[in-house]
Amino acid sequence: MRRLSGLSKVTAVLIATLGLIAGVAISASATPVLVSTIPAGDNPTNVALSSDGSRLYVMSESSKQLQYFDTSTNTVTATYTLSSITDRRITYIVLSPDGTKLYAAGEPTDTTQPSTIYVIDISGSTPVIRSTITTGRQVAGLAITPNGQTLYAANEKSGTISVINTVTNTVTATVEVTSTTDPSKKLMSPWRVTVSPNGQYYFVAFSAYAGLAPGYSGYASLKVSDNTVVSQTEFGLYPSPGAQPYGLAITSDGQFLYVSSTVSGATANSWIKKIAINPNGSFGSVATTANVPNTPADIALSADNSQLFVTTRAAGSKFMVYPTSTMSSPTVLTLPGVQWETMIAPSKQTSSHFAYVGAGGALWFSSPTITNFYLVGEYLGPNNQVLNETTGTAFSSAALTASGLSGTVTYSISPGLPSGLSFNSATGVISGTVTCALPTSSYTISGSDGTSTAVATVSLTVTGSDCSSAALANTGIHGAPLTLSAASLLIIGALAAFGARRLARKK
């Protein structure tokens, strides 16, 4: 015998449906600007953004300081000197997908010796080094699988990739890629490594290094499951390698890989290629090749894949932004200080076009120590506000300032605000008084100049008077009163009776 179950489930479905958030369209052709120069430790080349975008981790190359930055205010909230790290410099960092660990690659003073990866626990109030892992010489890049179980280290001066089990913190394989042009040789000097979004393949850029000659430069795709090579592209044999692949970036859908090649003074071999990736991880056709005069190095994609951010690998200060639809006519910015092997941390917001850019290079050039990094792009600030409010008390969010947009900026918000709150489309301010407690909710504010759009988020939590339990039967969305007319009650009663009769017939 079937029994009638609670009809309140219908109410839950209705509330969830009304809470859907609409997407925001963004122009990829807007002109990013230098939003701010942010003070940090000595040579802050290494930057990594938390998955929710609320915290930026900055590791100084030479002073080994780890700093936490609040992205809502772009100010440092904590500074830790990791005194147990005695290496000459930190060359790269990467966050675990769950945000509890930071992996930092240290290069020893004696560069003929292996590098060390430090496993830093950042889940508590202070960072703690939990383990160390010995790899090959001079780790130039790190990447981690989406499930967080495998870490890859590109060992520039060993010509190998260390495959690391992050559960045991041990190297489980050391991978070399043999040349298909001449099987007696190999692809030489791995610089950067990245993993496909589905976690099935990883990609490595191989440059040239005299200490590993003779060998080839190129790039390769390998299987995560067994480290076998799926596909590879090779260039010349050292000392005439031609192109020297350096930076890598993969689209969020895994369909395209961007590769940068950096050769000082050789424009023909200084380029960025957009390469199709087949479902089996092999390389398809080259969709676009953009010749770049400024020796491109690190590259990173905006979250919506519409913009490619590029740093330079020379004693200049160039930062470029390419629209990926054309890979032409980039915006070129001059950033104060020397850029050399610096990292890029793009916003995690799907509709945002800004990035944090590391700075440094004093160990490579005769230049002063750099003590700042940069925020570049189309930006609304404060970008990530967190409001913790109380019922019955008036409050307001901060007014927004737009960078990278021109003329009059108009703001909109999604989803709609609860009863008691209003939104100012000229300032981007949320204000008012809420009478009933609200669970944490996220709102997206979009600022548009008519051509381009930038976004910010506001997280709102309201504690205090709980209206839900006392007035569940007569309370609507966000605590607004739900009034049912006599006609509405008749319709609901009729529907309930009809449903009961249908169920009775099936007994």
Side-chain angles (χ1 to χ4, degrees), residues 70-91:
D70 181 347
T71 59
S72 64
T73 59
N74 288 319
T75 56
V76 62
T77 57
T79 299
Y80 306 97
T81 299
L82 303 178
S83 56
S84 60
I85 299 178
T86 58
D87 293 291
R88 173 173 175 260
R89 64 184 183 122
I90 299 298
T91 57

Side-chain angles (χ1 to χ4, degrees), residues 136-137 153-156 158-162 174-176 186 188 190 206:
R137 293 173 55 204
N155 305 311
E156 175 195 349
S158 294
T160 62
I161 302 99
S162 295
T174 300
V175 178
E176 295 182 342
K186 65 179 183 178
M188 294 179 63
F206 294 87

Side-chain angles (χ1 to χ4, degrees), residues 242-243 261-272 289-296:
S261 169
T262 176
V263 181
S264 299
T267 303
N269 290 312
S270 185
W271 44 249
I272 298 172
T289 299
N291 289 324
V292 184
N294 293 308
T295 58

Side-chain angles (χ1 to χ4, degrees), residues 224-280:
V224 167
S225 59
D226 59 9
N227 301 305
T228 57
V229 176
V230 176
S231 187
Q232 64 193 79
T233 297
E234 298 178 15
F235 299 103
L237 180 67
Y238 191 88
S240 300
Q244 296 186 38
Y246 181 98
L248 296 172
I250 192 166
T251 54
S252 57
D253 59 10
Q255 294 186 11
F256 290 96
L257 180 73
Y258 291 82
V259 181
S260 67
S261 169
T262 176
V263 181
S264 299
T267 303
N269 290 312
S270 185
W271 44 249
I272 298 172
K273 292 184 184 292
K274 180 181 180 180
I275 305 157
I277 302 298
N278 296 319
N280 66 353

Side-chain angles (χ1 to χ4, degrees), residues 292-376:
V292 184
N294 293 308
T295 58
D298 253 359
I299 56 178
L301 284 160
S302 61
D304 64 359
N305 303 314
S306 69
Q307 291 187 350
L308 185 73
F309 303 112
V310 184
T311 59
T312 59
R313 190 181 174 242
S317 303
K318 304 300 181 184
F319 179 80
M320 296 169 283
V321 182
Y322 280 84
T324 57
S325 58
T326 62
M327 287 303 295
S328 62
S329 304
T331 298
V332 181
L333 305 176
T334 298
L335 301 180
V338 176
Q339 300 297 114
W340 177 266
E341 298 183 11
T342 57
M343 295 180 65
I344 308 169
S347 167
K348 304 289 187 179
Q349 297 171 342
T350 302
S351 301
S352 290
H353 291 155
F354 66 87
Y356 294 93
V357 184
L363 294 179
W364 288 97
F365 299 106
S366 298
S367 61
T369 295
I370 307 301
T371 56
N372 51 253
F373 63 99
Y374 309 105
L375 172 59
V376 177

Side-chain angles (χ1 to χ4, degrees), residues 167-191:
V167 177
T168 61
N169 291 323
T170 57
V171 175
T172 58
T174 300
V175 178
E176 295 182 342
V177 176
T178 301
S179 167
T180 54
T181 305
D182 181 353
S184 68
K185 299 177 176 61
K186 65 179 183 178
L187 299 191
M188 294 179 63
S189 183
W191 276 85

